[in-house]
Coordinates of all heavy atoms in Angstrom, one line a residue:
M89 N -10.8 9.8 -3.4 CA -11.4 9.7 -4.7 C -11.9 11.1 -5.2 O -11.7 11.5 -6.3 CB -12.5 8.7 -4.7 CG -12.0 7.3 -4.5 SD -13.1 5.9 -4.7 CE -14.3 6.3 -3.4
V90 N -12.7 11.8 -4.4 CA -13.3 13.1 -4.7 C -12.2 14.1 -4.9 O -12.2 14.9 -5.8 CB -14.3 13.5 -3.7 CG1 -14.8 14.9 -4.0 CG2 -15.5 12.6 -3.8
G91 N -11.2 14.0 -4.0 CA -10.1 15.0 -4.0 C -9.3 14.9 -5.3 O -8.8 15.9 -5.9
L92 N -9.1 13.6 -5.8 CA -8.4 13.4 -7.0 C -9.1 14.1 -8.2 O -8.6 14.8 -9.0 CB -8.1 11.9 -7.3 CG -7.5 11.6 -8.6 CD1 -6.1 12.2 -8.8 CD2 -7.4 10.1 -8.8
L93 N -10.4 13.8 -8.2 CA -11.2 14.4 -9.3 C -11.2 15.9 -9.2 O -11.1 16.6 -10.2 CB -12.7 13.8 -9.2 CG -12.8 12.3 -9.4 CD1 -14.3 11.9 -9.2 CD2 -12.4 12.0 -10.8
Y94 N -11.3 16.4 -8.0 CA -11.3 17.9 -7.8 C -10.0 18.4 -8.3 O -10.0 19.5 -9.0 CB -11.6 18.1 -6.3 CG -11.5 19.6 -5.9 CD1 -12.4 20.5 -6.3 CD2 -10.4 20.0 -5.1 CE1 -12.3 21.9 -5.9 CE2 -10.3 21.4 -4.7 CZ -11.3 22.3 -5.1 OH -11.2 23.6 -4.8
A95 N -8.9 17.8 -7.9 CA -7.6 18.3 -8.3 C -7.5 18.4 -9.8 O -6.8 19.2 -10.4 CB -6.5 17.5 -7.7
L96 N -8.1 17.4 -10.5 CA -8.0 17.3 -12.0 C -8.9 18.3 -12.7 O -8.7 18.6 -13.9 CB -8.4 15.9 -12.4 CG -7.4 14.8 -12.0 CD1 -7.9 13.4 -12.4 CD2 -6.0 15.1 -12.6
T97 N -9.8 19.0 -11.9 CA -10.7 20.0 -12.6 C -10.0 21.4 -12.7 O -10.5 22.3 -13.2 CB -12.0 20.2 -11.8 OG1 -11.7 20.7 -10.5 CG2 -12.8 18.9 -11.7
G98 N -8.8 21.5 -12.1 CA -8.0 22.7 -12.2 C -8.5 23.8 -11.3 O -8.6 24.9 -11.7
P99 N -8.8 23.6 -10.0 CA -9.2 24.6 -9.2 C -8.1 25.6 -8.8 O -6.9 25.3 -9.0 CB -9.7 23.9 -7.9 CG -8.8 22.7 -7.8 CD -8.6 22.3 -9.3
E100 N -8.5 26.8 -8.3 CA -7.5 27.7 -7.8 C -6.7 27.1 -6.6 O -7.3 26.3 -5.8 CB -8.2 29.0 -7.3 CG -8.8 29.8 -8.3 CD -7.7 30.5 -9.2 OE1 -6.7 30.9 -8.7 OE2 -8.0 30.6 -10.4
L101 N -5.4 27.3 -6.6 CA -4.6 26.7 -5.5 C -5.1 27.1 -4.1 O -5.1 26.2 -3.3 CB -3.1 27.2 -5.7 CG -2.2 26.6 -4.7 CD1 -2.1 25.1 -4.7 CD2 -0.8 27.2 -4.9
S102 N -5.5 28.3 -3.9 CA -5.9 28.7 -2.6 C -7.2 28.0 -2.2 O -7.3 27.5 -1.0 CB -6.2 30.2 -2.5 OG -7.1 30.6 -3.4
A103 N -8.1 27.8 -3.0 CA -9.3 27.0 -2.7 C -9.0 25.6 -2.5 O -9.6 25.0 -1.5 CB -10.3 27.2 -3.9
A104 N -8.2 25.0 -3.3 CA -7.8 23.6 -3.1 C -7.1 23.4 -1.8 O -7.4 22.5 -1.0 CB -6.9 23.2 -4.3
L105 N -6.1 24.3 -1.5 CA -5.5 24.1 -0.2 C -6.4 24.3 1.0 O -6.2 23.6 2.0 CB -4.3 25.2 -0.1 CG -3.1 25.0 -0.9 CD1 -2.2 26.2 -0.8 CD2 -2.4 23.7 -0.4
L106 N -7.4 25.1 0.9 CA -8.3 25.3 2.0 C -9.1 23.9 2.1 O -9.2 23.5 3.3 CB -9.4 26.4 1.7 CG -10.4 26.6 2.7 CD1 -9.9 27.0 4.0 CD2 -11.5 27.6 2.2
H107 N -9.5 23.3 1.1 CA -10.3 22.1 1.2 C -9.4 21.0 1.7 O -9.8 20.3 2.7 CB -10.8 21.6 -0.2 CG -11.9 22.3 -0.7 ND1 -11.9 23.4 -1.6 CD2 -13.3 22.2 -0.5 CE1 -13.1 23.9 -1.8 NE2 -13.9 23.1 -1.2
F108 N -8.2 20.9 1.2 CA -7.3 19.8 1.7 C -6.8 20.0 3.1 O -6.8 19.0 3.9 CB -6.0 19.7 0.7 CG -6.3 19.5 -0.7 CD1 -5.4 19.9 -1.7 CD2 -7.5 18.9 -1.1 CE1 -5.7 19.8 -3.0 CE2 -7.8 18.7 -2.5 CZ -6.9 19.1 -3.4
R109 N -6.6 21.2 3.5 CA -6.1 21.5 4.8 C -7.2 21.3 5.8 O -7.0 20.7 6.9 CB -5.5 22.9 4.9 CG -4.2 23.0 4.3 CD -3.7 24.5 4.3 NE -2.4 24.6 3.7 CZ -1.9 25.7 3.3 NH1 -2.5 26.9 3.5 NH2 -0.6 25.7 2.7
V110 N -8.4 21.7 5.5 CA -9.5 21.5 6.4 C -9.8 20.0 6.6 O -10.0 19.6 7.8 CB -10.8 22.3 5.9 CG1 -12.0 21.8 6.6 CG2 -10.7 23.7 6.0
F111 N -9.8 19.3 5.5 CA -10.0 17.9 5.7 C -9.0 17.2 6.5 O -9.2 16.4 7.4 CB -10.1 17.1 4.3 CG -10.5 15.7 4.4 CD1 -11.8 15.3 4.6 CD2 -9.4 14.8 4.5 CE1 -12.1 14.0 4.8 CE2 -9.7 13.4 4.7 CZ -11.1 13.0 4.8
T112 N -7.7 17.5 6.2 CA -6.5 16.8 6.9 C -6.6 17.2 8.4 O -6.5 16.3 9.3 CB -5.2 17.2 6.3 OG1 -5.2 16.8 4.9 CG2 -4.1 16.6 7.0
A113 N -6.7 18.5 8.7 CA -6.8 18.9 10.1 C -8.0 18.3 10.8 O -7.8 17.8 12.0 CB -6.8 20.4 10.2
S114 N -9.1 18.2 10.1 CA -10.3 17.6 10.8 C -10.1 16.2 11.1 O -10.5 15.7 12.2 CB -11.5 17.7 9.8 OG -11.8 19.1 9.7
R115 N -9.5 15.4 10.2 CA -9.3 14.0 10.5 C -8.3 13.7 11.6 O -8.4 12.8 12.4 CB -8.8 13.2 9.2 CG -9.9 13.1 8.1 CD -11.3 12.7 8.6 NE -11.3 11.5 9.3 CZ -12.3 11.0 10.0 NH1 -13.5 11.7 10.0 NH2 -12.3 9.9 10.6
L116 N -7.2 14.5 11.6 CA -6.2 14.4 12.7 C -6.8 14.7 14.0 O -6.7 14.0 15.0 CB -5.0 15.3 12.4 CG -4.2 14.9 11.2 CD1 -3.1 16.0 10.9 CD2 -3.5 13.5 11.4
F117 N -7.6 15.8 14.1 CA -8.3 16.2 15.3 C -9.3 15.2 15.7 O -9.5 14.9 16.9 CB -8.8 17.6 15.2 CG -9.4 18.0 16.6 CD1 -8.6 18.4 17.6 CD2 -10.7 18.1 16.8 CE1 -9.0 18.7 18.9 CE2 -11.3 18.5 18.0 CZ -10.4 18.8 19.1
H118 N -10.0 14.6 14.7 CA -11.0 13.6 15.0 C -10.4 12.4 15.7 O -11.0 11.9 16.7 CB -11.7 13.1 13.7 CG -12.8 12.1 13.9 ND1 -12.5 10.8 13.9 CD2 -14.1 12.3 14.1 CE1 -13.6 10.1 14.1 NE2 -14.6 11.0 14.2
T119 N -9.3 12.0 15.3 CA -8.6 10.9 16.0 C -8.2 11.3 17.4 O -8.4 10.5 18.4 CB -7.4 10.5 15.2 OG1 -7.8 10.0 13.9 CG2 -6.6 9.3 15.9
V120 N -7.7 12.5 17.6 CA -7.3 12.9 19.0 C -8.6 13.0 19.8 O -8.6 12.5 21.0 CB -6.6 14.3 18.9 CG1 -6.5 14.9 20.3 CG2 -5.3 14.2 18.2
A121 N -9.6 13.5 19.3 CA -10.9 13.7 20.0 C -11.5 12.3 20.4 O -12.0 12.1 21.5 CB -11.9 14.5 19.3
Y122 N -11.4 11.4 19.4 CA -12.1 10.1 19.6 C -11.3 9.2 20.6 O -11.8 8.7 21.6 CB -12.2 9.3 18.2 CG -13.4 8.4 18.1 CD1 -14.1 8.4 16.9 CD2 -13.8 7.6 19.2 CE1 -15.2 7.6 16.8 CE2 -15.0 6.9 19.0 CZ -15.6 6.8 17.8 OH -16.7 6.0 17.7
V123 N -10.0 9.0 20.3 CA -9.1 8.2 21.1 C -8.9 8.8 22.5 O -8.8 8.2 23.5 CB -7.8 7.8 20.4 CG1 -6.9 7.0 21.3 CG2 -8.1 7.1 19.1
G124 N -8.8 10.2 22.5 CA -8.5 10.9 23.7 C -9.8 11.1 24.6 O -9.7 11.7 25.6
K125 N -10.9 10.7 24.1 CA -12.2 10.8 24.7 C -12.6 12.2 25.1 O -13.0 12.5 26.2 CB -12.2 10.0 26.0 CG -12.0 8.5 25.8 CD -12.0 7.7 27.1 CE -11.5 6.3 26.8 NZ -11.4 5.5 28.1
L126 N -12.3 13.2 24.2 CA -12.6 14.6 24.4 C -14.1 14.7 24.4 O -14.8 14.0 23.7 CB -12.0 15.5 23.3 CG -10.5 15.5 23.3 CD1 -10.0 16.4 22.2 CD2 -9.9 15.9 24.6
P127 N -14.6 15.7 25.1 CA -16.1 15.8 25.2 C -16.7 16.3 23.9 O -16.1 17.0 23.1 CB -16.3 16.8 26.3 CG -15.0 17.6 26.5 CD -14.0 16.6 26.1
Q128 N -17.9 15.9 23.7 CA -18.6 16.4 22.5 C -18.9 17.9 22.7 O -19.0 18.3 23.9 CB -19.9 15.6 22.3 CG -19.7 14.2 21.7 CD -19.3 14.2 20.3 OE1 -18.7 15.1 19.7 NE2 -19.6 13.1 19.6
P129 N -19.0 18.6 21.7 CA -19.1 18.3 20.3 C -17.7 18.3 19.5 O -17.8 18.5 18.3 CB -20.0 19.4 19.7 CG -19.6 20.6 20.5 CD -19.3 20.1 21.9
S130 N -16.7 18.1 20.2 CA -15.3 18.2 19.5 C -15.2 17.1 18.4 O -14.8 17.5 17.3 CB -14.2 18.0 20.5 OG -14.3 16.8 21.3
R131 N -15.6 15.9 18.7 CA -15.5 14.9 17.6 C -16.5 15.1 16.5 O -16.2 15.0 15.3 CB -15.8 13.5 18.2 CG -15.4 12.4 17.3 CD -15.6 11.0 18.0 NE -17.0 10.6 18.0 CZ -17.7 10.3 19.1 NH1 -17.1 10.4 20.3 NH2 -18.9 10.0 19.1
A132 N -17.7 15.5 16.9 CA -18.7 15.8 15.9 C -18.4 17.0 15.0 O -18.6 16.9 13.8 CB -20.1 16.1 16.5
L133 N -17.8 18.0 15.6 CA -17.4 19.2 14.8 C -16.2 18.8 13.8 O -16.2 19.3 12.7 CB -17.0 20.3 15.6 CG -18.2 21.0 16.4 CD1 -17.7 22.0 17.3 CD2 -19.2 21.6 15.4
S134 N -15.3 18.0 14.3 CA -14.2 17.6 13.5 C -14.6 16.7 12.3 O -14.2 16.9 11.1 CB -13.0 16.9 14.3 OG -13.5 15.8 14.9
Y135 N -15.6 15.8 12.6 CA -16.2 15.0 11.5 C -16.9 15.9 10.5 O -16.7 15.7 9.3 CB -17.2 14.0 12.2 CG -18.1 13.3 11.2 CD1 -17.6 12.2 10.4 CD2 -19.3 13.8 10.9 CE1 -18.4 11.6 9.5 CE2 -20.2 13.2 10.0 CZ -19.7 12.1 9.3 OH -20.5 11.5 8.3
L136 N -17.6 16.8 11.0 CA -18.4 17.7 10.1 C -17.5 18.6 9.2 O -17.8 18.7 8.1 CB -19.3 18.6 10.9 CG -20.3 19.5 10.2 CD1 -21.3 18.6 9.4 CD2 -21.1 20.4 11.2
G137 N -16.4 19.0 9.8 CA -15.5 19.8 9.0 C -14.9 19.0 7.8 O -14.8 19.5 6.7
G138 N -14.5 17.8 8.1 CA -14.0 16.9 7.0 C -15.0 16.6 6.0 O -14.8 16.6 4.8
M139 N -16.2 16.3 6.5 CA -17.3 16.0 5.6 C -17.7 17.1 4.7 O -17.9 17.0 3.4 CB -18.6 15.5 6.4 CG -19.8 15.1 5.5 SD -19.4 13.7 4.5 CE -19.2 12.4 5.6
L140 N -17.8 18.3 5.2 CA -18.1 19.5 4.5 C -17.0 19.8 3.4 O -17.4 20.2 2.3 CB -18.3 20.7 5.3 CG -19.6 20.7 6.2 CD1 -19.6 21.9 7.1 CD2 -20.8 20.7 5.3
A141 N -15.8 19.6 3.7 CA -14.7 19.8 2.7 C -14.9 18.8 1.6 O -14.7 19.2 0.4 CB -13.3 19.6 3.4
T142 N -15.2 17.5 1.9 CA -15.4 16.6 0.8 C -16.6 16.9 0.0 O -16.6 16.8 -1.3 CB -15.5 15.1 1.4 OG1 -14.3 14.9 2.1 CG2 -15.6 14.1 0.3
L143 N -17.7 17.2 0.6 CA -18.9 17.6 -0.1 C -18.7 18.8 -1.0 O -19.2 18.9 -2.1 CB -20.1 17.8 0.9 CG -20.6 16.5 1.6 CD1 -21.6 16.9 2.6 CD2 -21.2 15.5 0.6
S144 N -18.0 19.8 -0.5 CA -17.7 21.0 -1.3 C -16.9 20.6 -2.5 O -17.2 21.1 -3.6 CB -17.0 22.0 -0.4 OG -16.6 23.1 -1.2

Side-chain angles (χ1 to χ4, degrees):
M89 293 188 297
V90 171
L92 176 60
L93 296 174
Y94 176 69
L96 293 174
T97 65
E100 289 292 323
L101 179 60
S102 60
L105 283 172
L106 179 65
H107 284 97
F108 302 154
R109 288 174 178 167
V110 165
F111 183 85
T112 301
S114 293
R115 292 317 303 173
L116 293 172
F117 185 72
H118 181 270
T119 299
V120 170
Y122 214 141
V123 176
K125 302 177 186 177
L126 298 182
Q128 285 288 26
S130 57
R131 191 177 79 239
L133 290 174
S134 61
Y135 167 81
L136 187 60
M139 182 60 67
L140 289 175
T142 302
L143 290 173
S144 176

